[in-house]
Amino acid sequence: MAPTPLLGSRTLDRQTARTLPPGPRWPTLVQSALFASHRKTILPRMREQYGDVFTIRLVPKSRVCVVLSRPDHIREVFGGSPSVMHAGEGNTALEPVMGSSSLLLLDDEDHVRMRRQLMPAFSGQALRGYAEMVHELAVAEVAGWPIGTPFEMHHRMRNLTLEIILQVIFGVTDHDRLNTLRPLVDKIVSVSPIIMLGAFYRPLLRIPPWRTFLRAQEQIDQILYDEIARRRGNLTGRTDVLSRLLAAGEWTDVELRDQLVTLLLAGHETTATALAWAFHELARRPEDLAFGQHAADHGADGELEAIVKESLRLRPVVYQVGRRLTETTDVAGYRLPRGTTILAAMGLVHGDAEHFPAPAEFRPRRFLSDDPPAPGTWMPFGGGARRCIGAGFSLMEGTEILRATLAAYN
């Protein structure tokens, strides 16, 4: 039988009051504010109080969200039908920045097609080609760091990961163009939730700071479209991501622009934050620092990657991912109605002692032991058909940055 259309939150409440998992009864605005600013604190507490599956309500329109915290339940979602569990619908607020062709905003056949076109640029062979470029940029960045003077590592990591995106992904190497792009891109990647309100209230775009952001975005788009046009005319000897995409498939300029901006927003702050935390933990633990330095000196990629993985586990940059049900579906023992948002909370799994002994401790060697974490418990990049397409690039990038840094300060 076809699911009954749900016309609003009140209708959803009546139909699911007895079937939804338990959860807090606080006002929606309170739940939304706590989720936005303190999710890494409040979600573990909710799990303790309500169990492995619980319900929260978020703006807009008191959206019903069911939070999952067990790997087997999350696997149900990651392994479910992409046509039933839409991910793109949950990212519509990003459309004004990323564009309607962004991989993160697409569902069903459009998502499959776009992902297939992107895959050649992120194959194992392609990643090996990028590694040398990433390493060279990392070595150049580290060479300028002060010795004996404290500095902000997160700021340095943001600068480096931005440079990697501009040169390795966008393929921009012209000195003048790089100088023009850096401050513009910094405005885009620093976008705040307040700026994103412009997606819902278009009149805001006529006044600062929204107008300033829009102008920066327009300037970046102009440069990107110019780069795309130049690259179409000559791909000889080019190995950056944009050139590989052009060589591997048929793209419109708009599609390419949207994927480049998506890679920028998804891969800049996330990698910079994960690496800043990794260095924070290494600086506090001489034994682990020595472990990393030895790995850097001896080309032990597995050990360096383990440091990146443990940083992503201990301090998950992406705490949860969402899916919106397009039809009534059984999930985690509940029959959930169409329109429900499923939040797969990978961060709750990463902090569970059942899967990661001493979860509050930084232990890179847990990924190298004879008893490593079980499959499906470490998932900072999501999973299934929507697993982050840049996951391999991110791990390679982190490994090369650790190698360059730890070797220089050995």
Side-chain angles (χ1 to χ4, degrees):
M1 184 174 67
T4 302
L6 303 177
L7 302 179
S9 60
R10 292 185 179 180
T11 303
L12 186 62
D13 287 347
R14 289 198 299 270
Q15 293 182 341
T16 64
R18 297 180 181 177
T19 60
L20 282 177
R25 297 184 178 275
W26 313 327
T28 298
L29 284 177
V30 173
Q31 295 190 48
S32 300
L34 290 172
F35 179 80
S37 58
H38 295 90
R39 75 189 66 181
K40 296 179 182 180
T41 301
I42 199 67
L43 290 186
R45 291 181 181 177
M46 288 182 179
R47 182 188 185 187
E48 291 178 5
Q49 182 172 355
Y50 300 110
D52 294 328
V53 186
F54 55 91
T55 302
I56 60 175
R57 296 174 188 272
L58 305 176
V59 295
K61 299 180 180 179
S62 196
R63 179 164 48 105
V64 173
C65 301
V66 174
V67 181
L68 308 181
S69 63
R70 279 176 43 181
D72 55 332
H73 291 160
I74 293 175
R75 278 195 294 270
E76 289 182 37
V77 175
F78 288 165
S81 170
S83 64
V84 174
M85 299 185 181
H86 275 187
E89 287 188 44
N91 296 321
T92 52
L94 299 173
E95 183 175 344
V97 181
M98 291 188 175
S100 59
S101 299
S102 167
L103 185 68
L104 291 183
L105 274 71
L106 299 178
D107 284 305
D108 301 327
E109 290 303 315
D110 289 335
H111 178 265
V112 173
R113 176 183 62 83
M114 193 63 67
R115 190 177 181 93
R116 186 181 300 121
Q117 288 186 212
L118 283 162
M119 284 301 294
F122 294 94
S123 67
Q125 180 181 355
L127 292 178
R128 288 189 289 274
Y130 305 143
E132 183 177 352
M133 290 189 284
V134 171
H135 185 76
E136 289 176 357
L137 289 171
V139 168
E141 166 65 25
V142 172
W145 290 359
I147 296 177
T149 303
F151 60 89
E152 185 181 337
M153 181 60 79
H154 185 231
H155 176 71
R156 296 286 180 168
M157 287 297 101
R158 290 181 86 252
N159 288 346
L160 177 53
T161 56
L162 176 58
E163 203 67 23
I164 289 169
I165 287 172
L166 292 178
Q167 297 197 41
V168 181
I169 293 183
F170 290 8
V172 177
T173 55
D174 178 77
H175 182 73
D176 291 336
R177 180 154 288 194
L178 284 171
N179 285 338
T180 301
L181 267 173
R182 288 186 189 109
L184 293 172
V185 169
D186 190 60
K187 292 180 182 178
I188 297 297
V189 298
S190 301
V191 59
S192 69
I194 292 177
I195 293 294
M196 296 308 296
L197 286 175
F200 301 102
Y201 305 102
R202 303 295 291 182
L204 291 175
L205 298 178
R206 294 195 290 266
I207 59 176
W210 295 274
R211 184 176 61 194
T212 305
F213 178 85
L214 182 61
R215 286 178 177 174
Q217 182 179 341
E218 290 171 346
Q219 289 176 279
I220 290 174
D221 287 351
Q222 183 178 354
I223 294 173
L224 288 180
Y225 284 129
D226 186 58
E227 281 293 325
I228 291 169
R230 291 185 182 189
R231 214 69 55 82
R232 286 189 188 279
N234 183 14
L235 292 175
T236 304
R238 301 301 300 253
T239 58
D240 53 86
V241 171
L242 172 56
S243 297
R244 287 180 185 271
L245 290 176
L246 281 167
E250 295 295 327
W251 298 86
T252 67
D253 287 358
V254 171
E255 287 175 336
L256 278 171
R257 176 269 175 205
D258 290 356
Q259 305 320 315
L260 291 175
V261 174
T262 298
L263 292 169
L264 166 65
L265 291 177
H268 172 254
E269 186 66 38
T270 51
T271 303
T273 300
L275 286 168
W277 278 120
F279 286 117
H280 169 80
E281 297 295 342
L282 291 176
R284 298 170 64 215
R285 294 170 171 78
E287 181 182 348
D288 287 326
L289 178 59
F291 165 78
Q293 290 171 327
H294 181 271
D297 287 342
H298 293 81
D301 289 7
E303 283 82 350
L304 295 173
E305 185 176 287
I307 294 173
V308 180
K309 286 183 174 180
E310 179 66 348
S311 178
L312 288 167
R313 182 204 67 81
L314 182 62
R315 313 276 188 175
V317 183
V318 179
Y319 201 83
Q320 82 291 318
V321 294
R323 303 286 189 271
R324 184 179 180 276
L325 298 183
T326 62
E327 60 184 64
T328 299
T329 308
D330 292 326
V331 179
Y334 291 88
R335 188 152 184 80
L336 302 177
R338 183 179 70 175
T340 303
T341 296
I342 307 295
L343 295 180
M346 301 96 69
L348 290 176
V349 178
H350 290 176
D352 193 332
E354 179 182 350
H355 311 298
F356 297 94
E361 295 183 13
F362 183 75
R363 294 184 177 182
R365 292 174 179 81
R366 72 171 85 237
F367 290 96
L368 304 169
S369 69
D370 294 333
D371 185 26
T377 57
W378 183 81
M379 42 187 155
F381 301 105
R386 304 294 304 216
R387 186 174 188 267
C388 175
I389 198 167
F393 188 99
S394 178
L395 290 174
M396 174 276 295
E397 182 181 16
T399 297
E400 293 302 327
I401 292 173
L402 280 175
R403 188 196 320 278
T405 306
L406 296 176
Y409 284 89
N410 201 332

